[in-house]
Amino acid sequence: MKYGILGDIHSNISALRAVLERFRNHGVDRVLSVGDVVGYGAAPSECIALLREIGARVVKGNHDAACVNEMDLAYFNTYARTAVTWTRAQLSSEECAWLARLPLTLDLEDCSVAHGTYHRPERFDYVQGESDAEASLDRLPTPVCFVGHSHVPIALVRLEDDPLRTARAEGSEIDLSDVRRALINVGSVGQPRDDDPRAAYAIFDSEEQRVVIERVRYDIELEARRIRAAGLPPVLADRLFHGV
Ligand code: ZN
């Protein structure tokens, strides 16, 4: 089975379309999303509709939760809060119901999915280093879990011959054949924050036991114009060009 894994789309429809085009080229069988479909960008309904159309399995991110009143906005910075308020006004009650129904985690045959950590998904904690991954790796029912939230790709693994030590896997290609457990942040489709403005996503081939994190260019200018025209804070458009 070939999985295409993406997340932190943040209402960026141009970036989402570009990633789904790459999934088609790869012959992806199933699309999984690590959450934050909405928030920041100007095309929330379009992104929800496209994910539903392709039958993606999606977990709930903190911005998704905030847009359906499940989170205190005090947790968000000014720009994020403005975007959440704007997004709430755009969504139909049917779209809100879809967001509200999203699960916090998914356990599939070959992998699991969460937004922040796997072991405490409702806290939306960040996985940015080895220590953040320990508790999730202890609890995983499957060999690999895909997460998002920090908008920075990273892979944390425990090898078969050294299962008590968690280490960072270098490079964008992760060979899972000698890995006991892995927690992989697939980066962000719609608002990367690792100084690379291209949309990030992962391809997981369960037969080959291989994950590759890739990037694809999209029309940032178009998406930035959409954000400015919507009256959202201009910084949310500007940051897309820099990947910050
Ligand atoms: Zn996010």
Side-chain angles (χ1 to χ4, degrees):
M1 178 88 75
K2 224 181 212 187
Y3 298 87
I5 304 124
L6 56 83
D8 291 289
I9 299 162
H10 286 294
S11 303
N12 185 332
I13 187 68
S14 300
L16 176 59
R17 287 198 186 112
V19 171
L20 294 180
E21 172 77 37
R22 296 293 301 136
F23 284 1
R24 275 190 291 278
N25 296 343
H26 274 289
V28 156
D29 305 297
R30 265 178 121 170
V31 176
L32 310 177
S33 176
V34 299
D36 272 3
V37 179
V38 298
Y40 295 130
S45 300
E46 291 87 337
C47 290
I48 291 173
L50 191 46
L51 287 180
R52 296 178 78 174
E53 186 187 315
I54 62 168
R57 300 286 304 271
V58 184
V59 297
K60 189 184 287 176
N62 53 316
H63 285 256
D64 305 321
C67 287
V68 292
N69 301 308
E70 291 175 4
M71 271 189 82
D72 186 354
L73 285 186
Y75 175 86
F76 289 79
N77 68 41
T78 312
Y79 304 125
R81 206 178 310 139
T82 305
V84 166
T85 308
W86 180 88
T87 303
R88 280 177 182 165
Q90 310 300 312
L91 296 176
S92 69
S93 52
E94 207 276 327
E95 288 163 338
C96 287
W98 182 81
L99 285 174
R101 276 199 308 272
L102 295 177
L104 286 170
T105 58
L106 281 173
D107 293 312
L108 307 172
E109 198 186 334
D110 300 304
C111 61
S112 302
V113 186
H115 186 62
T117 61
Y118 177 82
H119 73 292
R120 229 164 39 184
E122 72 288 352
R123 295 274 297 266
F124 297 114
D125 292 328
Y126 291 93
V127 175
Q128 292 170 306
E130 289 84 339
S131 59
D132 306 326
E134 302 290 5
S136 292
L137 291 169
D138 287 342
R139 300 272 191 90
L140 275 183
T142 58
V144 54
C145 179
F146 296 98
V147 299
H149 195 34
S150 71
H151 298 203
V152 177
I154 189 174
L156 299 150
V157 300
R158 288 180 182 169
L159 298 177
E160 281 295 355
D161 58 7
D162 193 4
L164 296 179
R165 192 172 71 94
T166 301
R168 192 181 292 232
E170 297 301 334
S172 54
E173 217 175 303
I174 303 124
D175 177 6
L176 293 177
S177 57
D178 57 353
V179 164
R180 182 167 294 185
R181 287 284 180 275
L183 195 66
I184 299 175
N185 190 317
V186 299
S188 168
V189 169
Q191 200 192 87
R193 291 180 193 156
D194 58 348
D195 303 317
D196 183 343
R198 297 174 300 167
Y201 59 94
I203 304 290
F204 169 38
D205 190 320
S206 62
E207 260 100 86
E208 287 184 17
Q209 282 298 298
R210 203 169 64 111
V211 176
V212 186
I213 295 175
E214 296 186 347
R215 310 297 286 246
V216 63
R217 289 184 198 287
Y218 71 95
D219 193 343
I220 297 178
E221 187 56 60
L222 174 67
E223 217 52 34
R225 270 205 305 275
R226 208 193 297 270
I227 288 171
R228 292 192 198 103
L232 284 159
V235 66
L236 297 178
D238 298 341
R239 67 192 298 179
L240 296 180
F241 292 93
H242 307 286
V244 294

